[in-house]
Every structure is written in structure tokens, then in C-alpha cells.
Amino acid sequence: MITMLTVLLYLGLIVEHRTAVEAGLLPKPIIWAEPGSVIAMYKPVIIWCQGSWETQEYSLHKERSVNTWDNQFPLETTNKAKFNIEFMTETYADIYKCSYKSAAGFSEHSDAMELVMTGAYENPSLSVWPSLDVTSGVSIAFKCSSSLGFGRFILIQEGKYNLSWTLDSKQNDSHSFYATFVLDAVTPNHNGTFRCYGYFRNEPQVWSKSSNPLDLMVSETKDLSSTPIEDGLETYQKILTGVLVSFLLLFFLLLLLILFRYWCSCKKKKASQREANFQMLSGAPDPTHRDRLHQKSSSPDATINEKHLYASVKNTQSEDNTELNSWNPPDEDPQGIVYAQVKPSRLRKDTASKETQVVTYAQLCSKT
């Protein structure tokens, strides 16, 4: 079904094209200039003409020329032709139209294109009133003036919209010529660069040099309906908002500082606990207990008691007739600790009872 519709549509287009050819209604070509239709003196420019795919030859026509000005064949794989102008002069400044020829006959002429050359005369001066920086809705006036007796002045806006205004010139008391372009209720669409040119009436496509450029800046209209009370309330709200935001920031900073200090203290406690647990697991003596022992051993009373203890044990050896090995600590170590070491003794016979007895003895030593 889709294929049938496509075929019927194609046949309808062919029939419609043949009917238009038979009636002499070939599509009108399109003409344009590249890089633009306003060209400075001695600059190159290309004129393009685009027609149908059946075109055999394109023709270019000038308004001030009776005969065809130039003919060109279409470019390969395209439906258009180009006409080159290497250097723009007054000879090429004119109004152009183009047409094409096909097997069905000749097409009608395209729309007119005005090709303008600038730089033929001295530039005029351009001024603006009241200012280049205005708000939307304000009226402004551009004044273009020159000492040359131009018949007309043209004001051009460069940019997105490419607007232009043309006015007849006037002469003031100082014998200068001018034109005043009034723009009522400007909008942001008028933002851009403005220039003006002057030309004589008998050569409307030959312009002067460009005037000094002026950049217009139109801003949006400010809302003037607000009262002073509303403005004051708006200012108060802004101040209050700023104070609240500052207070919240300070509060959060203080909270972060407290949390940081708490985290540091917890970390120190955990480190101390971990160190104590490690000492207990490794069997290291308690520093407090070690100091206590050191204090006891370093006191004079302890030394005296140790000496008495050593003497007592020695006396016991003599009284009980027990065999003891004693070791007296050197004088260099006054804080030596006296201890007794019990060693197994050899067997000893009692002559009276004729029985064997086990005798043990203790050895007192001083250990640092």
C-alpha cells in the first residue's frame, strides 16, 4: 500500500511539472551575492543564481544594460551557477536579475538584487541623541551629516536583523547636508552597530565610505510601579536574610568545633586504653608496682631489715647446724635485695639414732 502511494505521488509530481512547462510556468530562480550585496571598492564578490535541475544555461541581467550581461552553465551535480567579479568597481554597481533556459523554454526573471559599492566618496559623520545606552521604549535620533551635497543618506544597522532607513538630505545654514533618523520606542532588537552612508541621486548604488560606527545598547524597561515602602521592605528582607544565613553558618561552625574536640578526646582515651591492654598482654610489670618496690628497697629501714634477716638466717645455720651457702652483695650496690634460695641438701646420718635425715639449707643473696 505504501509503495502504491509513493508511485502515485511521483506520477502526480511529473504530471504537474509537465503541465507547468507546457503552460510556460517554470520555477522562478533565486539570486544572491556572496559575501553580501554591499561591497567595498576593489573587493571580490560572487553572484549566485539557482534554478531547476533541468537547467541548461543561466543568464545574468543588469538593469542599465539592454542585452544579457553574462551567461554561465550550471555547475556539475548542482542546479546553480556563479558569476565572478574579481574587483568591485562602479561598473558592477547596479541592480541584477537572473533567469535560466531548459528544454521546456525560458524561465521568468528572478527577484531584483541591488549590488552596492562603497568607498567612492569621503565618509559622513554620525551622532546620536540622547545617548547610546537607553532603556526600552525611549525615542532616539541618529544624525548623519556631510559637507558633500549628497542627495540621500542611508542608515544601516549591522547584526541579526540588518535594518536600514533611507532619507533625503537637508541643508542647514552652514551649507552642510544632513539627515535625522528618528527611532520611536526602541527595543532590544535595535541593539547593534549603526553606520551611515551618503550617495547621489543619479548613482544610488555608489555610496560613500562608512561613517564612524556607533554601538547602541537598549536595556529592558525598569519597573517603576513599585513604591518607596515596597523598596524599603525588600531591602529589609534582604538584610534579614543575610543575618540569618550568617547566624546559621556560625552555629554550624561551632557545632563542628565541639564535635572535633569530642572526637580528639575519645581518640586519646582509646589510645591510652589500648596501650594499657598491650602492657597487660605482654606481661610487662606495672610501673606503679615497680616504683613501689624500688621505694621499699631504697629506704634505709629496708636495708637494715635485710641485713638482720641475713644475720638471722646465718645464726640459724650455726644453731641448727644447717649447711647454708651465703652470698654477700658487693658494696657498689647498696640497694641490692636480699633473698633466700632453698637448695636441696645432701643426705646426712645421725650417729646416735643411726638414721638418715634430709637436710635443706637456704642461701641469702642480694639481687639488684
Side-chain angles (χ1 to χ4, degrees):
M1 188 64 180
I2 297 176
T3 305
M4 291 295 297
L5 289 176
T6 305
V7 171
L8 291 175
L9 180 61
Y10 179 73
L11 292 176
L13 291 175
I14 293 177
V15 172
E16 181 180 0
H17 177 71
R18 288 182 178 178
T19 304
V21 170
E22 291 174 359
L25 300 176
L26 291 175
K28 182 168 50 175
I30 302 172
I31 187 172
W32 72 92
E34 186 180 312
S37 59
V38 179
I39 305 298
M41 183 184 292
Y42 305 131
K43 295 295 182 179
V45 62
I46 298 175
I47 299 176
W48 290 93
C49 186
Q50 180 177 348
S52 67
W53 289 96
E54 292 81 11
T55 299
Q56 298 174 351
E57 188 178 13
Y58 286 93
S59 300
L60 187 63
H61 312 277
K62 289 178 64 176
E63 190 177 70
R64 289 182 290 181
S65 178
V66 178
N67 300 324
T68 301
W69 185 71
D70 195 5
N71 293 308
Q72 291 289 337
F73 294 106
L75 300 175
E76 294 182 1
T77 67
T78 63
N79 60 339
K80 56 186 177 181
K82 68 176 182 178
F83 301 87
N84 287 319
I85 300 177
E86 295 182 1
F87 303 100
M88 186 66 184
T89 61
E90 296 182 10
T91 305
Y92 301 110
D94 208 330
I95 296 177
Y96 291 85
K97 294 180 181 180
C98 72
S99 62
Y100 63 91
K101 180 182 69 173
S102 67
F106 294 91
S107 69
E108 61 177 318
H109 288 183
S110 64
D111 294 333
M113 183 197 69
E114 187 175 23
L115 187 62
V116 176
M117 186 198 74
T118 64
Y121 314 106
E122 291 297 325
N123 60 305
S125 61
L126 182 63
S127 59
V128 64
W129 185 91
S131 173
L132 287 172
D133 190 1
V134 296
T135 58
S136 182
V138 175
S139 296
I140 61 174
F142 287 96
K143 184 178 180 180
C144 188
S145 59
S146 175
S147 59
L148 298 177
F150 293 125
R152 290 181 177 178
F153 291 96
I154 181 169
L155 180 68
I156 293 180
Q157 176 193 356
E158 300 176 354
K160 180 179 179 181
Y161 296 98
N162 252 342
L163 302 177
S164 64
W165 300 264
T166 304
L167 287 176
D168 293 337
S169 65
K170 296 180 181 180
Q171 188 177 7
N172 55 20
D173 297 337
S174 59
H175 303 288
S176 64
F177 297 84
Y178 71 95
T180 304
F181 301 88
V182 178
L183 305 182
D184 295 325
V186 293
T187 64
N189 293 337
H190 293 97
N191 288 333
T193 303
F194 286 80
R195 303 173 186 269
C196 76
Y197 301 86
Y199 62 89
F200 296 99
R201 293 178 184 271
N202 59 342
E203 292 181 332
Q205 288 82 39
V206 180
W207 295 359
S208 67
K209 296 179 181 179
S210 170
S211 68
N212 53 302
L214 295 179
D215 296 326
L216 180 65
M217 178 63 66
V218 181
S219 57
E220 294 291 343
T221 305
K222 185 178 179 181
D223 187 10
L224 301 177
S225 60
S226 59
T227 62
I229 297 177
E230 293 176 350
D231 294 339
L233 181 60
E234 184 178 357
T235 305
Y236 174 75
Q237 289 177 350
K238 290 181 180 179
I239 295 174
L240 182 61
T241 303
V243 171
L244 290 176
V245 171
S246 302
F247 176 76
L248 290 176
L249 289 176
L250 291 175
F251 174 76
F252 282 117
L253 288 176
L254 181 61
L255 183 61
L256 289 175
L257 180 61
I258 294 173
L259 292 176
F260 179 75
R261 294 189 63 181
Y262 177 75
W263 177 76
C264 290
S265 62
C266 292
K267 188 175 181 181
K268 290 180 180 179
K269 290 181 179 179
K270 289 182 179 179
S272 302
Q273 186 67 27
R274 193 181 301 112
E275 183 179 359
N277 294 337
F278 177 76
Q279 291 178 355
M280 292 177 63
L281 292 175
S282 60
D286 190 359
T288 307
H289 180 67
R290 185 170 61 248
D291 295 341
R292 191 180 298 116
L293 291 177
H294 179 71
Q295 292 175 359
K296 289 181 179 180
S297 62
S298 61
S299 61
D301 296 337
T303 305
I304 296 172
N305 293 334
E306 290 169 359
K307 290 180 178 181
H308 286 306
L309 178 61
Y310 179 79
S312 177
V313 173
K314 189 175 182 181
N315 293 335
T316 304
Q317 177 187 4
S318 60
E319 292 175 358
D320 297 338
N321 200 15
T322 305
E323 185 177 351
L324 299 174
N325 290 329
S326 63
W327 176 75
N328 196 9
D331 296 337
E332 294 82 13
D333 191 6
Q335 296 180 357
I337 300 174
V338 179
Y339 68 94
Q341 182 178 5
V342 179
K343 295 182 180 181
S345 67
R346 58 185 175 272
L347 298 178
R348 185 176 179 179
K349 291 185 178 181
D350 189 351
T351 56
S353 59
K354 297 181 181 181
E355 293 178 357
T356 303
Q357 296 179 352
V358 179
V359 179
T360 59
Y361 68 93
Q363 181 179 0
L364 299 181
C365 300
S366 176
K367 183 179 182 182
T368 304

